[in-house]
Amino acid sequence: MESLLYSSSLQTPAFSSQSTFLFHKSVPNSRPIFPFLHKANSRFRPLFCTMSRSSEADTKPKEAKLWGGRFEEGVTDIVEKFTESISFDKQLYKHDIMGSKAHASMLAQQGLISVSERDSILKGLDEIERSIQAGEFVWRTDREDVHMNIEATLTDMVGEPAKKLHTARSRNDQVLTDFRLWCRDAIDRIVASIINLQVSLVKLALNNEGLIIPGYTHLQRAQPVLLQHLLLAYVEQLDRDAGRLLDCKARLNFNPLGACALAGTGLPIDRFMTSNALGFTAPMRNSIDAVSDRDFVLEFLSANSIIAVHLSRIGEEWVLWASEEFGFITPSDSVSTGSSIMPQKKNPDPMELVRGKSARVIGDLVTLLTLCKGLPLAYNRDLQEDKEPTFDSVKTIIGMLEVSAEFAQNITFNDERIRKALPAGYLDATTLADYLVKKGIPFRTSHDIVGRAVALCVSKNCQLEDLSLEDMRKLSPVFDDEVYEFLGVENAIKKFSSYGSTGLACVADQLDYWVGKLEIKK
C-alpha cells in the first residue's frame, strides 16, 4: 500500500509500514499537505521515492530465538533494537567464555554431558575467543547479547553438544557471573592506576624537599606546611581509595553461577567446582540473592565516585595554583593547552577535565542507585542497564588517574614565587600561641593575646616577627627573647612535632614509609 502526502482532508495520512513517500502524482480533489511546496514551484512535477525501513539483508528470514519455542511470531525491529545489549555487553566476552568453560567442565564432571561433548565445547569456545580477538567475529543484533551470540555461534560450529551448554544455567546467573568477573578485573586495573599516581606524587615530593607553602582553611591562609606534607595527604587519600576497592573486590568475589533463573536447579551440579575454577571464594548461598543482587556494583561505583572526588580536589588545587594569582606551579607545555583566540593563554586543561569528569563518575553511581531503588526480587530486565554506567565509570576513572599522574610528572613548583608569598597571612600566629601555652598561659588566653598581636601588626603593616619585644610585653609580660624562635614560617615548621604533623622529622618519616611501601628507588 502506498502512503500519500496529498489528502482529501486536512488530516495527515497514516504512513504505511512499507514505505514513505515524499511526493506523489496528483490526486484529484486532494489538498497538498505541504502547500508551500506546491505554490513555490508551479512547474513542479510531483514524484515519489520509496525509502525502505530495512536493508535488503534484513529482509531475509530472521534466525529463531533460542528462547522462542512458545512464541508464534518474532519481535518487531523496533523492539529488537530497543532491547538488544550486544552493542555494549560484548566487552564481557572473555569472562563469558571463562564462565562457559568452567560450566562445561563441571557438567562433564557431573555426568550431565559427555567428555567428548565437553571437549567439543571447549575447542569451539577457544576458536570463538580467537576470532573475537582477531576482529573476525560477527556480532549479530538479532542474537541480542554477548551470551546468545557466543552460544549460537558455538552451536553453528559444533552442533548438538553446544545445545547442552545451557544445562542448569540461565542468562540471569550467567550475566552476573560475567559481570562479577569483569568488575574483579576492573578493580585490579584501577588499583594499578592508583599506585601509579601515588608513585608520581611521592616522587614529586622527593624533588621538593624543604619547600614551605601556605596551608589553607576556608581558602584563607592558615599555617605554614611543607609541600611534601600536602602531597602525601593526596597519597593517603588514594591509599584509602585502593583499600575500598579491594574490600569491594573481596565482597563481590562470590559465585552466582548455578543459581539459574532464581530458584536453582534439581540437576546434580557442583557449584563449588565452578567457584574454584573461576577463582571465586565460594558460591553465593541464596539463589534469589545471587541473580538479583547489584550491591557489588553500587559499592564499586561508590568507591569510584570517592576516587573521582579526591581527584577533583587535586585538580581544583592545581588549577588554582597554576593561575597568575597564585603562580605556585608551572605545568609544562606537554600537559597544557592554548586558546583559539587569546595567543598568550596556557591552560591546565587536563586537571580541569579531571575536575569536570568527576561529575560523570558520580552520575554513573546515581544512575545505578536510581535503577535499583524500586525493583522487586528477583531478576528484572531493568538490570540490563547496569552495564553501561559501570563500563563508563571504570573507563573514566582510569583516564582521570592516568592523566593526573602524567600532570604530576610534568609540573614545576615556583620556589621564589612561593617564598615571596609566605609572609602574608600571619601563618606563624598559632605557633606563637603555642609559645604562650608553654609559658603557662591558658590556650584561650593565649589565643586572645595573639589575636591582639595580629591586630597590632595590621595597624603597623608588619609581620609578627617584626614586632619589638616591648610591643609584645605590652600585650603580655611573659614574652621574652625566646619568642623569636617561634616566629617566621621556617621557625614555625621546626616547632611541629606531633605524630603526622608537618614538622621536618615527621614528614621525613612519612616519606620514608611511602618510599618503602611503593618500592620507590630514590
Side-chain angles (χ1 to χ4, degrees), residues 462-479:
C462 68
Q463 300 301 312
L464 287 168
E465 61 185 322
D466 298 327
L467 291 177
S468 68
L469 188 57
E470 182 182 357
D471 287 334
M472 293 187 189
R473 283 178 171 166
K474 290 178 181 178
L475 300 170
S476 173
V478 304
F479 282 112

Side-chain angles (χ1 to χ4, degrees), residues 53-54 58 60-85 140-145 148 171 381:
R53 291 179 57 193
S54 304
D58 291 337
K60 296 178 181 179
K62 289 185 178 181
E63 180 178 83
K65 303 291 186 184
L66 295 180
W67 45 259
R70 62 92 67 217
F71 292 86
E72 296 182 359
E73 58 181 334
V75 298
T76 67
D77 290 345
I78 290 175
V79 169
E80 186 163 81
K81 182 178 179 181
F82 186 72
T83 57
E84 65 84 22
S85 60
R140 291 178 48 168
T141 303
D142 62 333
R143 289 177 174 173
E144 299 180 4
D145 55 37
M148 302 296 256
R171 279 189 292 178
R381 190 64 179 271

Side-chain angles (χ1 to χ4, degrees), residues 9-34:
S9 71
L10 292 178
Q11 295 180 343
T12 305
F15 288 8
S16 85
S17 61
Q18 300 299 317
S19 57
T20 301
F21 294 84
L22 299 180
F23 305 102
H24 197 275
K25 57 190 176 182
S26 298
V27 177
N29 301 320
S30 66
R31 300 176 183 177
I33 293 208
F34 302 127

Side-chain angles (χ1 to χ4, degrees), residues 114-132:
S114 69
V115 172
S116 63
E117 289 171 329
R118 176 202 65 192
D119 291 345
S120 294
I121 290 170
L122 296 181
K123 184 178 180 181
L125 289 171
D126 283 339
E127 175 57 25
I128 289 171
E129 185 169 16
R130 185 209 63 78
S131 67
I132 294 173

Side-chain angles (χ1 to χ4, degrees), residues 429 432-453 475-479:
L432 180 57
D434 289 345
Y435 161 82
L436 291 172
V437 168
K438 290 182 178 181
K439 292 292 186 179
I441 305 296
F443 178 76
R444 283 299 171 202
T445 305
S446 300
H447 188 287
D448 179 70
I449 293 170
V450 175
R452 287 187 284 122
L475 300 170
S476 173
V478 304
F479 282 112

Side-chain angles (χ1 to χ4, degrees), residues 90-103:
K90 59 187 175 185
Q91 64 179 289
L92 296 173
Y93 78 89
K94 288 184 179 179
H95 305 93
D96 194 73
I97 291 172
M98 283 173 59
S100 290
K101 286 181 175 179
H103 189 66

Side-chain angles (χ1 to χ4, degrees), residues 200 204 315 318-319 322 329-338 345-354 399-412:
S200 298
L204 188 60
W318 286 357
V319 167
I329 64 172
T330 300
S332 73
D333 289 354
S334 62
V335 292
S336 304
T337 64
K345 291 298 293 297
K346 181 177 178 180
N347 302 321
D349 278 9
M351 299 314 293
E352 293 178 49
L353 282 171
V354 164
M400 292 168 68
L401 287 162
E402 289 177 344
V403 82
S404 296
E406 188 80 1
F407 199 84
Q409 294 163 19
N410 288 277
I411 58 175
T412 302

